[in-house]
Structure formats: structure tokens, C-alpha cells
Amino acid sequence: MSFLYDKSLSEIRSLLLAKELTVTEVVEACLKRIEETEPSVQALISVQAEEALEQARAMDEAGPNESKPLWGIPLTVKDLLCTKGTKTTCGSKILENFEPFYDAFAVAKLKEAGAVIIGKANMDEFAMGSSTENSAYKATKNPWDLNKVPGGSSGGSAACVTASQAFGSLGTDTGGSIRQPASLCGCVGLKPTYGLVSRRGMVAYGSSLDQIGPMTRSVEDNARLLQVIAGHDEKDSTSVDAPAADYLAALNRTDLKGLNVGLPKEFWAEGLDGEVESACRAAVAKLEELGAELVEVELPHSSYAIATYYIIAMAEASSNLARFDGVRYGYRSDEAENLLDIYVKSRSKGFGDEVQRRIMLGTYVLSSGYYDAYYKKAAQVRRLIREDYLKALEQCDVLVGPASPVTAWNVGELTSDPLKMYLMDIYTISLNLAGLPGLSLPVGLGADSNMPVGLQLLGKEFDEATLYSVASLLEEKTEQLGTPAGL
């Protein structure tokens, strides 16, 4: 069944509904692919093989259900999305034995749509990282070159999709954690508008920044997943009460005439690697050929985005992670002799270095005497960054720029330099501060590195449909990357 590896989610769905394939055959093919590639790629924390096969056999016995848009499709989800009866570790030792009693809203929606969840994807611990090297369990590798990182923190999801272990995955994006690994691994990743997809059942890192989004091998597949998981959740106060658009209908556009595409000059400035700029400029030229009008715009406060983001994200992380104390659930040190020992030793041994670093910095910026100087000021700058985007999008329908300043770097290259690692998110984090949608899609391989390059499309609130329409046309005009060279 190796021929299935090159099929898209949409193609597999058609074959399943036509009874040319059984769900069991598709699931077995994915499990075989996991067996072949997982020893080298290390994309998954856990695989639910028996459960998936049992579900597949039951679905085959019942017969195809066309009313379920993902009927029989094997998917994975990032391991900070709660899955009933299956461990959810967040890539951390402190949650190594945590087994939720409910499904996250987005996971439940996938299951209702007929999807088969076959595994939980590896990630940077509590989504804190840009390379998926901060997991307590394993370091994921890039399928294009096993000596390179896949990006992060949703690197496991990106690598899993790119290695054809599943036909899609759900990641999360706090500061670029879907778009950046999608760029580095050569797949399609969408960070939705804040509030479009319910956050209920997602273990929080930065509550005002986190969003769940789909990662797939094609734009159409991505739209299919978003169509399922988007929508109001009355149990989530951050979920917006608005109906999801028809994202698949947006893929019918034949040209980009009348569409204004903005080029933020800050995204095309010094610091952008030459091969990345070359591939992205070529993609922009294709947009112009399709009829788009190019407009140069400015995001004047974007230079403050990294500082602003890390103050806000770390402050929220220090608050959200306070619940992991070794008392109620999660890892508890057996060396503790009193209550204070439980807190100190459990958290010291349960959390990795990067998580501890961010908790300490977050606690500092929220502390008495520093709140006004740091957190309050960051919140004010955040408003200015959002206003920059809204002003630019008054002139344009979408903005475009690189998703990452470089292609994938070597494993271990930046682990000893956290500040340099933070700079890898320079083109993605401002969008989370603004709460707007963004999509990364592959536009070629770097001329020197031969590694994937991703172009980022940024849009107006709840206008993911326009992003899909532009991305779909660009995908048609762009040569497909093919099979990852590292596999």
C-alpha cells in the first residue's frame, strides 16, 4: 500500500467513499509508514495502533458515511491536546502519566467528522521552543535532512505530515509554532484568527496567544480540516460566536485580479537569508502574474514584536504553569520531605530548562515594581502592533512575506543560545500579538541548502477564506517539492 503515501487527504477520502479502499487498509498503511520512518524521524510521542485498527474495522463494517467529512482519515494531534483515555504529556516529564478524561473540543470535532486518531505528535515542552529539541522524550528530525531540525513547537506534527505518517495533524501556534515548522518541513500550516477554533482542552502556554490549527500536505486538505474544527464553543469564553465560512468554496478562484497584496518592508529587510528571499520573491512574482496588485506597506512597530511577545508569553506561562505543583496531578518527586519540598523538587525535576527559564522570566515581569515597566508596557505596544496590521490591511487584502528568515538549521546548533533561537520567530510572532490569521505554504527549495522554504500569507480577522483562495492558486503555479530527501 506504499502508493498511498503520496495521496492527499482529499484523494484518500474519495477512494474510501467509492469503496476502492477500506479504512483498515489506509490505517495499516499509515502504521506501516510510522514503523518504517519513526526510528529516524521521531515525530510521535505515542501511537494508538490497536485503538485505530479497532475503530477502522468497525467503520468498514458499518460502511462509508459521506455525511462525515473526514470519514476514515488517519490523523495525529499535537500532544498538548487532551485525548480521552490516551496520555497527554505536553512533551514534559511533569505530565508523563497524565491521562485526560475528556477530548479537547477540536479533537472531539475530528472524531465526530469520522477521523481516526492514530498518534500524538512530539513537541517542544509545553510548546516552548522553535526546534522540537526541548521535548522531554525525543528530538524530532526534519524528514528532508535528518541532521536538521523540523522547527517548533509543532515540529512533530510537521514532520509527521511531511513523512506521510498521517494525512494531517493539528498543531498549535503561540508565536509561529504552526507556520514556522510548516515552512521548515515543506507542508501547509494555518494559524487561525484568535477565537475561531476553541481552545478548550488545549493545555495553555500563553492564553491570549495560543491557537489550534491544521497542518497538511496541501491547501485543500488544510481547508477541509479547518472546516471541521472551526466554530463556536459555548464552554470556551475565548471562542467567538460566529459561523465558520465555507473554506472549500474559496478554492474555486481562477485568478487574483482585483486583489491587493501587501509587502511589509520590515519582512524583506536585512537579516533575511538570500535563498529564502529568492524563493519567496519568485512566489510573489507568480502572485503578480495571477493578477494581484502589489503594494508596499509598513508595520512600524514590528521591531518591538520579539520583546513584546516574550514578555507577554512568559508572563502568561508563569501563571498557567503554576498549577503543575506535584500535588494534584503530574510528576511528584519522591525525595520531598515536606510541602515546600514537593513544590520545589517536583517542578525542578519535572520541568526542562527552557520551561523553567520562561517561568522565571514571566514571574519577574509580573512582580511588584516591575509590572508597569515590563508587562504593562508590553501590553500597550501590543495594541500598537495590532493597529499597524489593521492599517496595512485597509490598503490590502492579504500581506505576504517569508515565514522563517532561514531554512532548517542543524540539530543542536542553537540549543546553547536561547536568544538566537528566539529570533527564529521574528516573522511570525507579531501576528499572534494582533490575533490575525496566517498561513504558510511551501514555495520551493533553497538553492544552496536544498531545504524547504515557506511563504507566509497574513489576512484580516476571520478571513481565512481569502488566504486559502490565494494559497490554492499559488500552489497550482508552484512546482511540488516531492518526496523528502532524508527518507
Side-chain angles (χ1 to χ4, degrees), residues 411-423:
V411 172
E413 184 177 344
L414 300 181
T415 51
S416 62
D417 191 345
L419 291 179
K420 193 170 183 180
M421 185 80 80
Y422 295 165
L423 291 173

Side-chain angles (χ1 to χ4, degrees), residues 34-74:
I34 289 171
E35 184 181 344
E36 293 170 349
T37 60
E38 188 58 14
S40 57
V41 177
Q42 300 283 288
L44 303 175
I45 286 181
S46 63
V47 179
Q48 288 72 57
E50 291 183 12
E51 298 91 331
L53 286 170
E54 183 179 345
Q55 183 183 348
R57 295 184 191 108
M59 295 175 82
D60 286 331
E61 187 174 338
N65 188 340
E66 195 166 354
S67 67
K68 295 190 173 185
L70 298 176
W71 189 83
I73 303 296

Side-chain angles (χ1 to χ4, degrees), residues 100-425:
F101 58 87
Y102 71 103
D103 285 321
F105 181 84
V107 173
K109 296 287 280 185
L110 292 181
K111 291 181 176 180
E112 289 170 13
V116 181
I117 309 300
I118 63 171
K120 303 294 292 291
N122 193 30
M123 56 180 284
D124 286 302
E125 185 180 6
F126 284 102
M128 298 181 188
S130 301
S131 63
T132 316
E133 295 173 284
N134 292 333
S135 170
Y137 303 101
K138 56 181 69 176
T140 300
K141 308 301 192 298
N142 193 311
W144 283 91
D145 182 339
L146 298 174
N147 295 311
K148 306 283 187 181
V149 300
S153 63
S154 303
S157 292
C160 160
V161 168
T162 306
S164 299
Q165 295 179 347
F167 294 97
S169 185
L170 293 188
T172 65
D173 194 309
T174 306
S177 289
I178 287 174
R179 291 160 289 148
Q180 185 253 25
S183 174
L184 269 53
C185 287
C187 63
V188 179
L190 175 87
K191 177 251 175 223
T193 305
Y194 187 83
L196 179 65
V197 178
S198 172
R199 296 171 51 257
R200 179 163 60 90
M202 175 181 70
V203 181
Y205 161 23
S207 300
S208 72
L209 302 161
D210 299 333
Q211 269 293 275
I212 299 167
M215 306 183 77
T216 58
R217 292 198 289 275
S218 76
V219 174
E220 181 183 353
D221 292 352
N222 206 277
R224 285 189 183 278
L225 287 187
L226 185 64
Q227 194 80 56
V228 168
I229 64 174
H232 180 56
D233 176 10
E234 61 182 13
K235 296 179 181 178
D236 177 4
S237 62
T238 65
S239 175
V240 175
D241 189 2
D246 187 345
Y247 303 116
L248 291 172
L251 307 180
N252 296 329
R253 191 163 187 159
T254 57
D255 60 52
L256 299 180
K257 292 178 181 177
L259 193 88
N260 289 332
V261 173
L263 302 177
K265 69 176 188 178
E266 292 81 4
F267 285 13
W268 302 89
E270 185 180 353
L272 177 59
D273 188 79
E275 63 174 0
V276 174
E277 181 174 8
S278 178
C280 289
R281 292 267 185 205
V284 171
K286 290 174 185 174
L287 295 177
E288 192 171 25
E289 290 172 11
L290 287 163
E293 183 74 27
L294 303 184
V295 181
E296 186 175 277
V297 297
E298 294 185 12
L299 301 173
H301 294 95
S302 60
S303 60
Y304 303 108
I306 288 181
T308 301
Y309 168 82
Y310 278 103
I311 288 172
I312 291 173
M314 292 182 186
E316 293 183 1
S318 72
S319 176
N320 281 323
L321 271 61
R323 72 194 73 176
F324 304 113
D325 53 15
V327 175
R328 286 162 288 187
Y329 50 81
Y331 171 79
R332 178 187 293 186
S333 171
D334 56 10
E335 299 175 6
E337 297 180 358
N338 52 51
L339 182 61
L340 182 59
D341 267 0
I342 290 177
Y343 292 153
V344 173
K345 293 182 178 179
S346 298
R347 287 169 67 83
S348 295
K349 293 186 177 182
F351 289 136
D353 290 344
E354 183 60 32
V355 173
Q356 291 187 46
R357 182 182 296 118
R358 297 193 188 199
I359 290 173
M360 292 174 68
L361 287 169
T363 302
Y364 176 80
V365 300
L366 289 175
S367 62
S368 177
Y370 297 101
Y371 177 91
D372 287 347
Y374 293 102
Y375 186 78
K376 182 180 178 181
K377 183 63 68 177
Q380 291 169 333
V381 176
R382 177 182 191 169
R383 170 60 62 179
L384 296 175
I385 290 171
R386 175 176 166 81
E387 289 175 355
D388 285 348
Y389 271 104
L390 296 181
K391 184 177 179 181
L393 287 166
E394 287 177 1
Q395 308 170 55
C396 308
D397 299 287
V398 297
L399 308 177
V400 300
S404 170
V406 297
T407 56
W409 55 93
N410 290 330
V411 172
E413 184 177 344
L414 300 181
T415 51
S416 62
D417 191 345
L419 291 179
K420 193 170 183 180
M421 185 80 80
Y422 295 165
L423 291 173
M424 294 300 104
D425 298 329

